[in-house]
Amino acid sequence: MSQAAPPTGSVDQICDADLTSLNTLRLPARAHRLARPTTLDALSQVLAERNPAEPLFVIGEGSNLVIRSDLPGLTLSLAIDGMAQVKEDDTHVWVAAGAGVHWDDLVDWTVEQGWQGLENLSLIPGTAGAAPFQNIGAYGVELSQVLEQVTVMDVVTAQVDHFAGHECEFSYRDSRFKSRDRGRYIITGIELRLNKTPQCNVSYGPLKARFGHLSQADISPAAVREHVIAVRQSKLPDPAVLANAGSFFKNPVVTKEQGDALKVRFADLVAYAQADGVKLAAGWLIEQAGWKGKRLGPVGMHSEQALVLVNHGAATSADVVALAEAVRADVQATFGVSLEQEPVLLP
Ligand code: EPU
């Protein structure tokens, strides 16, 4: 368990900072000024010294970003560290982590303790602070299911506040921080509630195939984590090896009528019933539209998972935008379905 950072903290500040290594798509861009505060105090000091008129951007490890051009003003990348158990009862533990903690270090540590809840979210790139922003999800689990509260700092007043999970307005890859309160708060830490007695969720296809025949008592979070890592590594490119920002589009939700009509035309359509319609597998749509493994200039759609846009080297944001537009247009023309981009565009 790492120690919480000291209360005063420090701030690394760099002018004209290169952001190429701070975005996993490896798009070339610079930040006018980049600051990396290590504590809440240090963050409030940076905010107090900032000209409120200058633009402000917050990035984690840049694993869900498309940086279109240089960032003016101030860019913050929080280095608030520390993860610790803060509370427990007979059945649960509560765990807190600083926004700057590498997400998978948190998953790894909790699974090592035998606590259950994060194992399906193994190996997702990025920081703990970025996790609630887009309500990360994988293999049948979303962060919202285990999130107790989010600690935030108001960018104008530097006041610290807490939002309980149910106040975060979570939905599929969305939260109030990404939508209606965008730019208002900086997420500085998270608190999660995990199970002491494992009740692993193995309902998602590849997990069901591996664990479906076992009773809960025989399924450990460590085994689920190991399998999730193997499945991810078989399909998803490691951003350290092949630059990418994970799924480039959301899985679109269409009406039940539209889903039924598509099923008549495309018998093997991959679709999941939802309360509000039918969710389609965007990767399947993109593959059927002919883009799996296909390149346009230095970028392409991944050969193992068509939903992931990859940078084969030296791509610019214009290359990314051109490919995304071409894919969107072909999926629209083939299926009449509109794809929504998943990574955040900056500035
Ligand atoms: N499929 C294809 N071709 C492809 C890719 C997928 O036909 O090239 C079909 C397959 O039938 C497959 C189905 O789509 O069974 C679903 O694919 P997968 O299990 O890989 O999941 P996904 O819906 O493509 C979502 C998340 C991923 C997450 C996985 C696993 C979104 C936008 N993406 O992908 O999250 O890891 O489920 O839960 O919801 C991310 O957000 O960056 C991300 C990687």
Side-chain angles (χ1 to χ4, degrees):
M1 188 186 318
S2 56
Q3 297 295 310
T8 46
S10 63
V11 190
D12 272 352
Q13 299 223 36
I14 309 170
C15 287
D16 190 28
D18 185 359
L19 296 176
T20 316
S21 62
L22 269 179
N23 77 99
T24 61
L25 257 174
R26 300 281 179 265
L27 297 176
R30 305 192 77 81
H32 176 67
R33 189 158 62 97
L34 175 70
R36 290 183 54 78
T38 59
T39 60
L40 286 175
D41 283 354
L43 173 59
S44 66
Q45 189 192 324
V46 176
L47 292 177
E49 288 166 2
R50 162 184 173 247
N51 172 354
E54 72 176 344
L56 174 67
F57 305 96
V58 183
I59 60 178
E61 293 173 10
S63 55
N64 199 45
L65 284 186
V66 176
I67 305 187
R68 280 185 293 193
S69 59
D70 292 348
L71 302 184
L74 174 64
T75 299
L76 290 170
S77 174
L78 299 196
I80 301 177
D81 220 339
M83 46 188 175
Q85 176 185 328
V86 289
K87 177 167 97 166
E88 71 178 313
D89 66 13
D90 290 347
T91 52
H92 293 94
V93 290
W94 283 258
V95 166
V101 168
H102 178 61
W103 171 258
D104 197 55
D105 287 348
L106 177 61
V107 178
D108 190 43
W109 174 63
T110 61
V111 168
E112 257 180 35
Q113 310 306 306
W115 301 329
Q116 184 268 318
L118 302 187
E119 58 284 351
N120 296 41
L121 304 177
S122 290
L123 216 61
I124 294 180
T127 59
F133 184 80
Q134 56 150 336
N135 184 23
I136 58 170
Y139 305 101
V141 171
E142 288 188 347
L143 181 77
S144 55
Q145 293 163 247
V146 289
L147 188 108
E148 180 75 12
Q149 64 170 7
V150 174
T151 306
V152 299
M153 186 176 284
D154 186 301
V155 301
V156 176
T157 62
Q159 191 175 322
V160 174
D161 214 337
H162 303 277
F163 290 106
H166 65 87
E167 295 173 316
C168 295
E169 297 168 18
F170 286 128
S171 59
Y172 169 58
R173 292 294 191 277
D174 203 11
S175 72
R176 68 187 295 167
F177 312 111
K178 189 176 174 185
S179 51
R180 79 176 168 100
D181 280 335
R182 181 93 159 246
R184 181 168 176 195
Y185 301 110
I186 296 166
I187 296 170
T188 60
I190 61 173
E191 189 179 315
L192 308 170
R193 191 183 76 141
L194 305 175
N195 291 317
K196 285 180 165 176
T197 307
Q199 300 147 38
C200 294
N201 178 339
V202 293
S203 57
Y204 199 85
L207 297 185
K208 203 176 195 169
R210 166 74 177 75
F211 298 103
H213 61 290
L214 299 175
S215 67
Q216 272 297 333
D218 295 324
I219 307 173
S220 72
V224 174
R225 170 170 167 77
E226 197 183 317
H227 194 61
V228 165
I229 288 174
V231 173
R232 284 189 76 97
Q233 286 177 336
S234 71
K235 287 189 184 177
L236 296 169
D238 176 353
V241 178
L242 181 56
N244 73 88
S247 298
F248 200 81
F249 299 102
K250 289 185 183 179
N251 284 328
V253 177
V254 299
T255 62
K256 187 176 177 311
E257 292 69 35
Q258 197 180 355
D260 288 345
L262 282 169
K263 195 88 201 168
V264 172
R265 285 175 55 210
F266 305 95
D268 52 351
L269 181 82
V270 182
Y272 317 93
Q274 304 276 296
D276 54 347
V278 178
K279 189 184 263 188
L280 305 178
W284 186 89
L285 299 174
I286 294 167
E287 180 174 349
Q288 299 303 311
W291 279 102
K292 189 170 188 165
K294 196 168 157 188
R295 294 190 187 195
L296 186 65
V299 288
M301 303 312 289
H302 189 49
S303 53
E304 303 301 318
Q305 199 345 338
L307 189 48
V308 178
L309 187 152
V310 293
N311 174 6
H312 292 284
T316 63
S317 60
D319 296 319
V320 171
V321 170
L323 174 58
E325 273 315 307
V327 170
R328 276 172 56 91
D330 282 354
V331 168
Q332 181 73 49
T334 311
F335 301 100
V337 173
S338 170
L339 291 181
E340 186 188 339
Q341 184 171 316
E342 212 270 307
V344 171
L345 279 175
L346 291 184

